[in-house]
Amino acid sequence: WQKARVLYNLGTLRLAQKQPIEALELFQQIDPLDLSLPIFGRDLFLNEGIAYLHYAHTLPTFDQQLLFIEQGLKAFKQAQLLDCQVQKEEQK
């Protein structure tokens, strides 16, 4: 889980530096279950979705952009599912 957290932190840093490809490469090395808590998995998918959208914005054609926008939306959906899981656990 420690390696996953380091990769997550580095990816988040790359995302903040407006380097979405580098961020995605780091995020994709992480199994969300390795982050030890669902909330970290949610944050991973949120950051991954943001990185996809930032990258899509740099592409010249709509067809290319659309592929990465769809990937971003999938990541946001995963984040939403994990957020629901977190909320259910908090209600217990």
Side-chain angles (χ1 to χ4, degrees):
W1 67 268
Q2 292 173 331
K3 180 181 176 185
R5 290 304 305 264
V6 169
L7 290 169
Y8 171 80
N9 289 339
L10 289 172
T12 302
L13 179 62
R14 294 290 185 231
L15 184 58
Q17 294 173 332
K18 309 248 189 268
Q19 299 174 350
I21 293 298
E22 292 83 357
L24 285 169
E25 288 172 353
L26 291 163
F27 293 147
Q28 291 173 349
Q29 294 179 49
I30 302 168
D31 180 350
L33 299 175
D34 288 341
L35 294 175
S36 74
L37 296 172
I39 198 164
F40 294 127
R42 179 200 64 191
D43 292 346
L44 170 66
F45 283 118
L46 284 174
N47 283 350
E48 189 175 318
I50 293 167
Y52 277 121
L53 295 181
H54 279 287
Y55 182 64
H57 183 69
T58 67
L59 298 172
T61 68
F62 181 72
D63 288 340
Q64 293 172 327
Q65 292 173 351
L66 185 59
L67 174 67
F68 289 96
I69 290 170
E70 288 172 345
Q71 291 297 317
L73 292 174
K74 285 180 186 177
F76 290 142
K77 183 66 175 173
Q78 289 294 323
Q80 181 183 27
L81 293 173
L82 286 173
D83 190 51
C84 289
Q85 180 181 349
V86 168
Q87 288 180 15
K88 285 179 184 177
E89 289 178 14
E90 288 175 351
Q91 290 175 354
K92 289 183 180 180

PDB file of all heavy atoms in Angstrom, residues 40-72:
ATOM      1  N   PHE A  40      -9.437   6.698  -0.566  1.00  0.00           N
ATOM      2  CA  PHE A  40      -8.260   6.932  -1.402  1.00  0.00           C
ATOM      3  C   PHE A  40      -8.480   6.419  -2.818  1.00  0.00           C
ATOM      4  O   PHE A  40      -8.004   7.015  -3.782  1.00  0.00           O
ATOM      5  CB  PHE A  40      -7.013   6.307  -0.779  1.00  0.00           C
ATOM      6  CG  PHE A  40      -6.623   6.948   0.517  1.00  0.00           C
ATOM      7  CD1 PHE A  40      -6.425   6.180   1.642  1.00  0.00           C
ATOM      8  CD2 PHE A  40      -6.477   8.323   0.620  1.00  0.00           C
ATOM      9  CE1 PHE A  40      -6.079   6.763   2.855  1.00  0.00           C
ATOM     10  CE2 PHE A  40      -6.124   8.918   1.829  1.00  0.00           C
ATOM     11  CZ  PHE A  40      -5.932   8.133   2.945  1.00  0.00           C
ATOM     12  N   GLY A  41      -9.194   5.301  -2.944  1.00  0.00           N
ATOM     13  CA  GLY A  41      -9.553   4.813  -4.278  1.00  0.00           C
ATOM     14  C   GLY A  41     -10.419   5.820  -5.009  1.00  0.00           C
ATOM     15  O   GLY A  41     -10.244   6.075  -6.194  1.00  0.00           O
ATOM     16  N   ARG A  42     -11.377   6.404  -4.274  1.00  0.00           N
ATOM     17  CA  ARG A  42     -12.225   7.440  -4.867  1.00  0.00           C
ATOM     18  C   ARG A  42     -11.384   8.611  -5.365  1.00  0.00           C
ATOM     19  O   ARG A  42     -11.534   9.080  -6.491  1.00  0.00           O
ATOM     20  CB  ARG A  42     -13.239   7.929  -3.835  1.00  0.00           C
ATOM     21  CG  ARG A  42     -14.144   9.034  -4.368  1.00  0.00           C
ATOM     22  CD  ARG A  42     -14.789   9.826  -3.284  1.00  0.00           C
ATOM     23  NE  ARG A  42     -13.763  10.531  -2.526  1.00  0.00           N
ATOM     24  CZ  ARG A  42     -13.986  11.146  -1.381  1.00  0.00           C
ATOM     25  NH1 ARG A  42     -15.183  11.114  -0.834  1.00  0.00           N
ATOM     26  NH2 ARG A  42     -13.012  11.761  -0.752  1.00  0.00           N
ATOM     27  N   ASP A  43     -10.454   9.053  -4.539  1.00  0.00           N
ATOM     28  CA  ASP A  43      -9.593  10.175  -4.921  1.00  0.00           C
ATOM     29  C   ASP A  43      -8.714   9.818  -6.124  1.00  0.00           C
ATOM     30  O   ASP A  43      -8.472  10.651  -6.993  1.00  0.00           O
ATOM     31  CB  ASP A  43      -8.725  10.615  -3.754  1.00  0.00           C
ATOM     32  CG  ASP A  43      -9.544  11.247  -2.631  1.00  0.00           C
ATOM     33  OD1 ASP A  43     -10.730  11.582  -2.849  1.00  0.00           O
ATOM     34  OD2 ASP A  43      -8.992  11.394  -1.526  1.00  0.00           O
ATOM     35  N   LEU A  44      -8.259   8.570  -6.171  1.00  0.00           N
ATOM     36  CA  LEU A  44      -7.474   8.119  -7.320  1.00  0.00           C
ATOM     37  C   LEU A  44      -8.286   8.239  -8.601  1.00  0.00           C
ATOM     38  O   LEU A  44      -7.815   8.797  -9.598  1.00  0.00           O
ATOM     39  CB  LEU A  44      -7.017   6.671  -7.118  1.00  0.00           C
ATOM     40  CG  LEU A  44      -6.402   5.987  -8.342  1.00  0.00           C
ATOM     41  CD1 LEU A  44      -5.089   6.651  -8.721  1.00  0.00           C
ATOM     42  CD2 LEU A  44      -6.209   4.506  -8.073  1.00  0.00           C
ATOM     43  N   PHE A  45      -9.519   7.730  -8.585  1.00  0.00           N
ATOM     44  CA  PHE A  45     -10.345   7.792  -9.785  1.00  0.00           C
ATOM     45  C   PHE A  45     -10.720   9.226 -10.143  1.00  0.00           C
ATOM     46  O   PHE A  45     -10.803   9.567 -11.330  1.00  0.00           O
ATOM     47  CB  PHE A  45     -11.595   6.922  -9.636  1.00  0.00           C
ATOM     48  CG  PHE A  45     -11.319   5.463  -9.802  1.00  0.00           C
ATOM     49  CD1 PHE A  45     -11.543   4.578  -8.776  1.00  0.00           C
ATOM     50  CD2 PHE A  45     -10.821   4.970 -11.006  1.00  0.00           C
ATOM     51  CE1 PHE A  45     -11.291   3.217  -8.927  1.00  0.00           C
ATOM     52  CE2 PHE A  45     -10.560   3.613 -11.175  1.00  0.00           C
ATOM     53  CZ  PHE A  45     -10.795   2.747 -10.127  1.00  0.00           C
ATOM     54  N   LEU A  46     -10.940  10.080  -9.157  1.00  0.00           N
ATOM     55  CA  LEU A  46     -11.219  11.485  -9.455  1.00  0.00           C
ATOM     56  C   LEU A  46     -10.030  12.135 -10.160  1.00  0.00           C
ATOM     57  O   LEU A  46     -10.194  12.817 -11.180  1.00  0.00           O
ATOM     58  CB  LEU A  46     -11.548  12.254  -8.167  1.00  0.00           C
ATOM     59  CG  LEU A  46     -12.924  12.031  -7.571  1.00  0.00           C
ATOM     60  CD1 LEU A  46     -13.040  12.743  -6.222  1.00  0.00           C
ATOM     61  CD2 LEU A  46     -14.010  12.512  -8.519  1.00  0.00           C
ATOM     62  N   ASN A  47      -8.851  11.917  -9.618  1.00  0.00           N
ATOM     63  CA  ASN A  47      -7.659  12.496 -10.241  1.00  0.00           C
ATOM     64  C   ASN A  47      -7.411  11.918 -11.632  1.00  0.00           C
ATOM     65  O   ASN A  47      -7.005  12.631 -12.554  1.00  0.00           O
ATOM     66  CB  ASN A  47      -6.435  12.292  -9.352  1.00  0.00           C
ATOM     67  CG  ASN A  47      -6.404  13.255  -8.202  1.00  0.00           C
ATOM     68  OD1 ASN A  47      -7.185  14.205  -8.132  1.00  0.00           O
ATOM     69  ND2 ASN A  47      -5.500  13.031  -7.269  1.00  0.00           N
ATOM     70  N   GLU A  48      -7.656  10.637 -11.785  1.00  0.00           N
ATOM     71  CA  GLU A  48      -7.493  10.004 -13.093  1.00  0.00           C
ATOM     72  C   GLU A  48      -8.480  10.617 -14.098  1.00  0.00           C
ATOM     73  O   GLU A  48      -8.101  10.930 -15.235  1.00  0.00           O
ATOM     74  CB  GLU A  48      -7.719   8.499 -12.974  1.00  0.00           C
ATOM     75  CG  GLU A  48      -7.366   7.738 -14.225  1.00  0.00           C
ATOM     76  CD  GLU A  48      -7.486   6.240 -14.023  1.00  0.00           C
ATOM     77  OE1 GLU A  48      -7.073   5.731 -12.960  1.00  0.00           O
ATOM     78  OE2 GLU A  48      -7.996   5.571 -14.934  1.00  0.00           O
ATOM     79  N   GLY A  49      -9.711  10.816 -13.682  1.00  0.00           N
ATOM     80  CA  GLY A  49     -10.698  11.443 -14.565  1.00  0.00           C
ATOM     81  C   GLY A  49     -10.296  12.848 -14.964  1.00  0.00           C
ATOM     82  O   GLY A  49     -10.410  13.244 -16.129  1.00  0.00           O
ATOM     83  N   ILE A  50      -9.791  13.609 -14.006  1.00  0.00           N
ATOM     84  CA  ILE A  50      -9.329  14.972 -14.293  1.00  0.00           C
ATOM     85  C   ILE A  50      -8.170  14.942 -15.282  1.00  0.00           C
ATOM     86  O   ILE A  50      -8.118  15.745 -16.218  1.00  0.00           O
ATOM     87  CB  ILE A  50      -8.935  15.686 -12.985  1.00  0.00           C
ATOM     88  CG1 ILE A  50     -10.175  15.923 -12.132  1.00  0.00           C
ATOM     89  CG2 ILE A  50      -8.204  16.989 -13.268  1.00  0.00           C
ATOM     90  CD1 ILE A  50      -9.880  16.325 -10.693  1.00  0.00           C
ATOM     91  N   ALA A  51      -7.242  14.012 -15.089  1.00  0.00           N
ATOM     92  CA  ALA A  51      -6.093  13.903 -15.994  1.00  0.00           C
ATOM     93  C   ALA A  51      -6.549  13.572 -17.417  1.00  0.00           C
ATOM     94  O   ALA A  51      -6.040  14.144 -18.386  1.00  0.00           O
ATOM     95  CB  ALA A  51      -5.110  12.848 -15.478  1.00  0.00           C
ATOM     96  N   TYR A  52      -7.508  12.649 -17.552  1.00  0.00           N
ATOM     97  CA  TYR A  52      -8.035  12.332 -18.887  1.00  0.00           C
ATOM     98  C   TYR A  52      -8.646  13.564 -19.543  1.00  0.00           C
ATOM     99  O   TYR A  52      -8.437  13.816 -20.731  1.00  0.00           O
ATOM    100  CB  TYR A  52      -9.089  11.224 -18.814  1.00  0.00           C
ATOM    101  CG  TYR A  52      -8.532   9.824 -18.791  1.00  0.00           C
ATOM    102  CD1 TYR A  52      -8.796   8.970 -17.727  1.00  0.00           C
ATOM    103  CD2 TYR A  52      -7.763   9.336 -19.841  1.00  0.00           C
ATOM    104  CE1 TYR A  52      -8.311   7.669 -17.704  1.00  0.00           C
ATOM    105  CE2 TYR A  52      -7.268   8.045 -19.826  1.00  0.00           C
ATOM    106  CZ  TYR A  52      -7.543   7.221 -18.758  1.00  0.00           C
ATOM    107  OH  TYR A  52      -7.052   5.938 -18.749  1.00  0.00           O
ATOM    108  N   LEU A  53      -9.401  14.335 -18.792  1.00  0.00           N
ATOM    109  CA  LEU A  53     -10.034  15.527 -19.365  1.00  0.00           C
ATOM    110  C   LEU A  53      -9.000  16.590 -19.737  1.00  0.00           C
ATOM    111  O   LEU A  53      -9.131  17.234 -20.782  1.00  0.00           O
ATOM    112  CB  LEU A  53     -11.074  16.095 -18.399  1.00  0.00           C
ATOM    113  CG  LEU A  53     -12.270  15.194 -18.135  1.00  0.00           C
ATOM    114  CD1 LEU A  53     -13.242  15.878 -17.185  1.00  0.00           C
ATOM    115  CD2 LEU A  53     -12.977  14.807 -19.426  1.00  0.00           C
ATOM    116  N   HIS A  54      -7.999  16.761 -18.911  1.00  0.00           N
ATOM    117  CA  HIS A  54      -6.927  17.717 -19.246  1.00  0.00           C
ATOM    118  C   HIS A  54      -6.209  17.285 -20.531  1.00  0.00           C
ATOM    119  O   HIS A  54      -5.913  18.111 -21.396  1.00  0.00           O
ATOM    120  CB  HIS A  54      -5.910  17.832 -18.115  1.00  0.00           C
ATOM    121  CG  HIS A  54      -6.329  18.736 -17.012  1.00  0.00           C
ATOM    122  ND1 HIS A  54      -6.359  20.103 -17.119  1.00  0.00           N
ATOM    123  CD2 HIS A  54      -6.736  18.452 -15.754  1.00  0.00           C
ATOM    124  CE1 HIS A  54      -6.768  20.631 -15.989  1.00  0.00           C
ATOM    125  NE2 HIS A  54      -7.009  19.641 -15.141  1.00  0.00           N
ATOM    126  N   TYR A  55      -5.935  15.995 -20.628  1.00  0.00           N
ATOM    127  CA  TYR A  55      -5.257  15.501 -21.828  1.00  0.00           C
ATOM    128  C   TYR A  55      -6.140  15.663 -23.057  1.00  0.00           C
ATOM    129  O   TYR A  55      -5.675  16.094 -24.112  1.00  0.00           O
ATOM    130  CB  TYR A  55      -4.829  14.047 -21.665  1.00  0.00           C
ATOM    131  CG  TYR A  55      -4.096  13.536 -22.876  1.00  0.00           C
ATOM    132  CD1 TYR A  55      -2.878  14.085 -23.243  1.00  0.00           C
ATOM    133  CD2 TYR A  55      -4.638  12.524 -23.665  1.00  0.00           C
ATOM    134  CE1 TYR A  55      -2.212  13.632 -24.375  1.00  0.00           C
ATOM    135  CE2 TYR A  55      -3.974  12.078 -24.785  1.00  0.00           C
ATOM    136  CZ  TYR A  55      -2.760  12.631 -25.135  1.00  0.00           C
ATOM    137  OH  TYR A  55      -2.110  12.197 -26.263  1.00  0.00           O
ATOM    138  N   ALA A  56      -7.414  15.352 -22.923  1.00  0.00           N
ATOM    139  CA  ALA A  56      -8.346  15.482 -24.055  1.00  0.00           C
ATOM    140  C   ALA A  56      -8.355  16.915 -24.581  1.00  0.00           C
ATOM    141  O   ALA A  56      -8.433  17.142 -25.789  1.00  0.00           O
ATOM    142  CB  ALA A  56      -9.750  15.059 -23.642  1.00  0.00           C
ATOM    143  N   HIS A  57      -8.243  17.864 -23.679  1.00  0.00           N
ATOM    144  CA  HIS A  57      -8.265  19.275 -24.051  1.00  0.00           C
ATOM    145  C   HIS A  57      -7.075  19.658 -24.951  1.00  0.00           C
ATOM    146  O   HIS A  57      -7.164  20.605 -25.719  1.00  0.00           O
ATOM    147  CB  HIS A  57      -8.276  20.142 -22.789  1.00  0.00           C
ATOM    148  CG  HIS A  57      -8.372  21.595 -23.041  1.00  0.00           C
ATOM    149  ND1 HIS A  57      -9.503  22.188 -23.544  1.00  0.00           N
ATOM    150  CD2 HIS A  57      -7.464  22.586 -22.882  1.00  0.00           C
ATOM    151  CE1 HIS A  57      -9.297  23.484 -23.679  1.00  0.00           C
ATOM    152  NE2 HIS A  57      -8.067  23.747 -23.279  1.00  0.00           N
ATOM    153  N   THR A  58      -5.998  18.884 -24.885  1.00  0.00           N
ATOM    154  CA  THR A  58      -4.802  19.210 -25.669  1.00  0.00           C
ATOM    155  C   THR A  58      -4.824  18.604 -27.075  1.00  0.00           C
ATOM    156  O   THR A  58      -3.970  18.938 -27.890  1.00  0.00           O
ATOM    157  CB  THR A  58      -3.523  18.712 -24.961  1.00  0.00           C
ATOM    158  OG1 THR A  58      -3.517  17.281 -24.949  1.00  0.00           O
ATOM    159  CG2 THR A  58      -3.425  19.256 -23.554  1.00  0.00           C
ATOM    160  N   LEU A  59      -5.772  17.725 -27.344  1.00  0.00           N
ATOM    161  CA  LEU A  59      -5.801  17.015 -28.623  1.00  0.00           C
ATOM    162  C   LEU A  59      -6.482  17.849 -29.708  1.00  0.00           C
ATOM    163  O   LEU A  59      -7.411  18.600 -29.424  1.00  0.00           O
ATOM    164  CB  LEU A  59      -6.503  15.670 -28.457  1.00  0.00           C
ATOM    165  CG  LEU A  59      -5.801  14.717 -27.486  1.00  0.00           C
ATOM    166  CD1 LEU A  59      -6.651  13.496 -27.231  1.00  0.00           C
ATOM    167  CD2 LEU A  59      -4.436  14.330 -28.005  1.00  0.00           C
ATOM    168  N   PRO A  60      -6.039  17.685 -30.960  1.00  0.00           N
ATOM    169  CA  PRO A  60      -6.524  18.564 -32.034  1.00  0.00           C
ATOM    170  C   PRO A  60      -7.906  18.233 -32.590  1.00  0.00           C
ATOM    171  O   PRO A  60      -8.602  19.131 -33.061  1.00  0.00           O
ATOM    172  CB  PRO A  60      -5.463  18.411 -33.122  1.00  0.00           C
ATOM    173  CG  PRO A  60      -4.864  17.065 -32.887  1.00  0.00           C
ATOM    174  CD  PRO A  60      -4.942  16.832 -31.402  1.00  0.00           C
ATOM    175  N   THR A  61      -8.322  16.973 -32.552  1.00  0.00           N
ATOM    176  CA  THR A  61      -9.599  16.631 -33.184  1.00  0.00           C
ATOM    177  C   THR A  61     -10.600  16.141 -32.149  1.00  0.00           C
ATOM    178  O   THR A  61     -10.240  15.574 -31.112  1.00  0.00           O
ATOM    179  CB  THR A  61      -9.435  15.536 -34.260  1.00  0.00           C
ATOM    180  OG1 THR A  61      -9.084  14.311 -33.622  1.00  0.00           O
ATOM    181  CG2 THR A  61      -8.384  15.920 -35.294  1.00  0.00           C
ATOM    182  N   PHE A  62     -11.863  16.333 -32.476  1.00  0.00           N
ATOM    183  CA  PHE A  62     -12.926  15.913 -31.573  1.00  0.00           C
ATOM    184  C   PHE A  62     -12.928  14.405 -31.374  1.00  0.00           C
ATOM    185  O   PHE A  62     -13.172  13.923 -30.262  1.00  0.00           O
ATOM    186  CB  PHE A  62     -14.290  16.379 -32.094  1.00  0.00           C
ATOM    187  CG  PHE A  62     -15.411  15.990 -31.194  1.00  0.00           C
ATOM    188  CD1 PHE A  62     -15.592  16.628 -29.971  1.00  0.00           C
ATOM    189  CD2 PHE A  62     -16.282  14.971 -31.548  1.00  0.00           C
ATOM    190  CE1 PHE A  62     -16.627  16.262 -29.122  1.00  0.00           C
ATOM    191  CE2 PHE A  62     -17.321  14.603 -30.703  1.00  0.00           C
ATOM    192  CZ  PHE A  62     -17.487  15.252 -29.493  1.00  0.00           C
ATOM    193  N   ASP A  63     -12.655  13.637 -32.433  1.00  0.00           N
ATOM    194  CA  ASP A  63     -12.636  12.176 -32.306  1.00  0.00           C
ATOM    195  C   ASP A  63     -11.600  11.733 -31.275  1.00  0.00           C
ATOM    196  O   ASP A  63     -11.859  10.830 -30.473  1.00  0.00           O
ATOM    197  CB  ASP A  63     -12.354  11.516 -33.654  1.00  0.00           C
ATOM    198  CG  ASP A  63     -13.526  11.622 -34.615  1.00  0.00           C
ATOM    199  OD1 ASP A  63     -14.656  11.861 -34.141  1.00  0.00           O
ATOM    200  OD2 ASP A  63     -13.304  11.477 -35.832  1.00  0.00           O
ATOM    201  N   GLN A  64     -10.431  12.348 -31.324  1.00  0.00           N
ATOM    202  CA  GLN A  64      -9.393  12.008 -30.346  1.00  0.00           C
ATOM    203  C   GLN A  64      -9.817  12.454 -28.946  1.00  0.00           C
ATOM    204  O   GLN A  64      -9.629  11.716 -27.977  1.00  0.00           O
ATOM    205  CB  GLN A  64      -8.071  12.674 -30.726  1.00  0.00           C
ATOM    206  CG  GLN A  64      -7.452  12.141 -31.995  1.00  0.00           C
ATOM    207  CD  GLN A  64      -6.258  12.965 -32.438  1.00  0.00           C
ATOM    208  OE1 GLN A  64      -6.212  14.175 -32.239  1.00  0.00           O
ATOM    209  NE2 GLN A  64      -5.289  12.310 -33.043  1.00  0.00           N
ATOM    210  N   GLN A  65     -10.383  13.627 -28.848  1.00  0.00           N
ATOM    211  CA  GLN A  65     -10.821  14.142 -27.555  1.00  0.00           C
ATOM    212  C   GLN A  65     -11.891  13.245 -26.941  1.00  0.00           C
ATOM    213  O   GLN A  65     -11.868  12.964 -25.744  1.00  0.00           O
ATOM    214  CB  GLN A  65     -11.367  15.561 -27.704  1.00  0.00           C
ATOM    215  CG  GLN A  65     -10.318  16.581 -28.056  1.00  0.00           C
ATOM    216  CD  GLN A  65     -10.926  17.943 -28.365  1.00  0.00           C
ATOM    217  OE1 GLN A  65     -12.138  18.087 -28.478  1.00  0.00           O
ATOM    218  NE2 GLN A  65     -10.072  18.947 -28.503  1.00  0.00           N
ATOM    219  N   LEU A  66     -12.813  12.805 -27.773  1.00  0.00           N
ATOM    220  CA  LEU A  66     -13.939  12.006 -27.302  1.00  0.00           C
ATOM    221  C   LEU A  66     -13.487  10.731 -26.597  1.00  0.00           C
ATOM    222  O   LEU A  66     -14.036  10.364 -25.548  1.00  0.00           O
ATOM    223  CB  LEU A  66     -14.882  11.670 -28.455  1.00  0.00           C
ATOM    224  CG  LEU A  66     -16.161  10.934 -28.090  1.00  0.00           C
ATOM    225  CD1 LEU A  66     -16.992  11.745 -27.104  1.00  0.00           C
ATOM    226  CD2 LEU A  66     -16.972  10.642 -29.347  1.00  0.00           C
ATOM    227  N   LEU A  67     -12.489  10.075 -27.132  1.00  0.00           N
ATOM    228  CA  LEU A  67     -11.980   8.850 -26.516  1.00  0.00           C
ATOM    229  C   LEU A  67     -11.528   9.106 -25.078  1.00  0.00           C
ATOM    230  O   LEU A  67     -11.875   8.351 -24.157  1.00  0.00           O
ATOM    231  CB  LEU A  67     -10.814   8.290 -27.338  1.00  0.00           C
ATOM    232  CG  LEU A  67     -10.095   7.095 -26.743  1.00  0.00           C
ATOM    233  CD1 LEU A  67     -11.014   5.881 -26.715  1.00  0.00           C
ATOM    234  CD2 LEU A  67      -8.834   6.795 -27.517  1.00  0.00           C
ATOM    235  N   PHE A  68     -10.796  10.173 -24.868  1.00  0.00           N
ATOM    236  CA  PHE A  68     -10.275  10.456 -23.538  1.00  0.00           C
ATOM    237  C   PHE A  68     -11.334  11.057 -22.617  1.00  0.00           C
ATOM    238  O   PHE A  68     -11.293  10.855 -21.406  1.00  0.00           O
ATOM    239  CB  PHE A  68      -9.023  11.329 -23.628  1.00  0.00           C
ATOM    240  CG  PHE A  68      -7.860  10.551 -24.176  1.00  0.00           C
ATOM    241  CD1 PHE A  68      -7.552  10.604 -25.524  1.00  0.00           C
ATOM    242  CD2 PHE A  68      -7.120   9.724 -23.357  1.00  0.00           C
ATOM    243  CE1 PHE A  68      -6.506   9.858 -26.045  1.00  0.00           C
ATOM    244  CE2 PHE A  68      -6.076   8.970 -23.863  1.00  0.00           C
ATOM    245  CZ  PHE A  68      -5.769   9.036 -25.216  1.00  0.00           C
ATOM    246  N   ILE A  69     -12.289  11.761 -23.183  1.00  0.00           N
ATOM    247  CA  ILE A  69     -13.417  12.243 -22.383  1.00  0.00           C
ATOM    248  C   ILE A  69     -14.204  11.054 -21.848  1.00  0.00           C
ATOM    249  O   ILE A  69     -14.584  11.021 -20.670  1.00  0.00           O
ATOM    250  CB  ILE A  69     -14.308  13.190 -23.207  1.00  0.00           C
ATOM    251  CG1 ILE A  69     -13.562  14.501 -23.469  1.00  0.00           C
ATOM    252  CG2 ILE A  69     -15.636  13.442 -22.506  1.00  0.00           C
ATOM    253  CD1 ILE A  69     -14.234  15.414 -24.477  1.00  0.00           C
ATOM    254  N   GLU A  70     -14.422  10.059 -22.696  1.00  0.00           N
ATOM    255  CA  GLU A  70     -15.133   8.856 -22.252  1.00  0.00           C
ATOM    256  C   GLU A  70     -14.367   8.137 -21.143  1.00  0.00           C
ATOM    257  O   GLU A  70     -14.967   7.651 -20.179  1.00  0.00           O
ATOM    258  CB  GLU A  70     -15.374   7.916 -23.429  1.00  0.00           C
ATOM    259  CG  GLU A  70     -16.420   8.425 -24.397  1.00  0.00           C
ATOM    260  CD  GLU A  70     -16.540   7.592 -25.669  1.00  0.00           C
ATOM    261  OE1 GLU A  70     -15.625   6.776 -25.953  1.00  0.00           O
ATOM    262  OE2 GLU A  70     -17.549   7.760 -26.361  1.00  0.00           O
ATOM    263  N   GLN A  71     -13.046   8.059 -21.273  1.00  0.00           N
ATOM    264  CA  GLN A  71     -12.233   7.433 -20.225  1.00  0.00           C
ATOM    265  C   GLN A  71     -12.352   8.220 -18.917  1.00  0.00           C
ATOM    266  O   GLN A  71     -12.430   7.635 -17.835  1.00  0.00           O
ATOM    267  CB  GLN A  71     -10.762   7.335 -20.659  1.00  0.00           C
ATOM    268  CG  GLN A  71     -10.521   6.362 -21.781  1.00  0.00           C
ATOM    269  CD  GLN A  71     -10.875   4.940 -21.388  1.00  0.00           C
ATOM    270  OE1 GLN A  71     -10.558   4.477 -20.292  1.00  0.00           O
ATOM    271  NE2 GLN A  71     -11.543   4.233 -22.261  1.00  0.00           N
ATOM    272  N   GLY A  72     -12.362   9.533 -19.033  1.00  0.00           N
ATOM    273  CA  GLY A  72     -12.525  10.374 -17.855  1.00  0.00           C
ATOM    274  C   GLY A  72     -13.863  10.137 -17.176  1.00  0.00           C
ATOM    275  O   GLY A  72     -13.944  10.034 -15.945  1.00  0.00           O
TER     276      GLY A  72
END
